[in-house]
């Protein structure tokens, strides 16, 4: 059973967060282990497993990045070591990475801010480009579900790459 089925929600990148939270609170109260303290050990273990499953599902579904990762994994699209980022994007990022290496040896505050702005701009453009696909998924017009998932996978991988660059920038900021 998927996390979406567990919460009786349709698979979606743009969830009804209020419905998710309400269902989570309802299930947490219903399956809280403390309410089963006088039950046989077998029943207590079953309730503990259910409670853990509901909590893990909620944590995943309530976080947009984890939800995206979960959906992509459920469809077999994220495999360890087999996720290719488009080469044109990598070439663009190579320039940014070279600038970061230069900062390592010769810190320049203006260059630091320029790289931060550039990275934020790329993230904003990625978010803007993928938003229509996320909003319409899985009811897409002119695009198959598989094509949409591939677009979302590419977005996810690019954003993950950019987050690593932003983490590096944060380390520079902490040092200066």
């Amino acid at each position: 059973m998927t996390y979406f089925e567990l919460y009786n929600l349709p698979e979606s990148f743009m969830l009804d967060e209020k419905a998710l939270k309400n269902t989570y609170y309802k299930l947490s109260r219903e399956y809280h282990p403390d309410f089963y303290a006088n039950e046989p050990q077998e029943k207590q273990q079953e309730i503990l497993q259910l409670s853990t499953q509901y909590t893990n599902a909620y944590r995943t579904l309530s976080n947009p990045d984890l939800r995206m990762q979960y959906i992509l994994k459920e469809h077999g699209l994220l495999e360890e070591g087999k996720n290719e980022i488009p080469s044109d994007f990598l070439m663009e990022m190579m320039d940014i990475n070279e600038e970061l290496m230069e900062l390592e040896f010769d810190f320049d505050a203006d260059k630091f801010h320029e790289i931060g702005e550039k990275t934020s701009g790329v993230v904003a453009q990625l978010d803007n480009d993928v938003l229509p696909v996320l909003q319409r998924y899985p009811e897409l017009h002119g695009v198959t579900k598989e094509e949409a998932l591939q677009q979302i996978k590419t977005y996810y991988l690019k954003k993950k790459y950019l987050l690593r660059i932003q983490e590096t920038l944060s380390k520079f900021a902490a040092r200066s």
Side-chain angles (χ1 to χ4, degrees), residues 136 138-145 147-148 151:
R136 292 191 313 263
E139 280 83 38
L140 304 154
H141 303 290
V143 177
T144 66
K145 185 175 178 179
E147 290 170 329
Q151 288 176 357

Side-chain angles (χ1 to χ4, degrees), residues 121-139:
V122 174
V123 170
Q125 187 61 52
L126 283 174
D127 290 344
N128 192 46
D129 291 347
V130 80
L131 186 60
V133 179
L134 297 176
Q135 289 172 328
R136 292 191 313 263
Y137 180 88
E139 280 83 38

Side-chain angles (χ1 to χ4, degrees), residues 36-57:
Y36 295 85
N38 295 328
E39 295 292 327
Q41 187 65 31
E42 217 172 75
K43 182 70 172 176
Q44 288 181 34
Q45 190 61 35
E46 176 189 336
I47 294 301
L48 182 60
Q49 286 175 344
L50 282 172
S51 177
T52 302
Q53 186 178 21
Y54 288 128
T55 299
N56 290 341

Side-chain angles (χ1 to χ4, degrees), residues 1 7 12 15 22 39 43 47-48 52 57 61 75 87 95-96 104 121 125 133 146 153 158 163 167 170-171 174:
M1 177 176 282
Y7 277 89
S12 174
L15 276 183
N22 289 340
E39 295 292 327
K43 182 70 172 176
I47 294 301
L48 182 60
T52 302
L61 296 180
H75 289 279
S87 57
D95 292 339
I96 292 175
E104 186 75 40
Q125 187 61 52
V133 179
E146 290 74 24
K153 174 186 175 182
K158 287 179 178 180
L163 286 174
E167 286 171 5
S170 294
K171 290 176 188 171

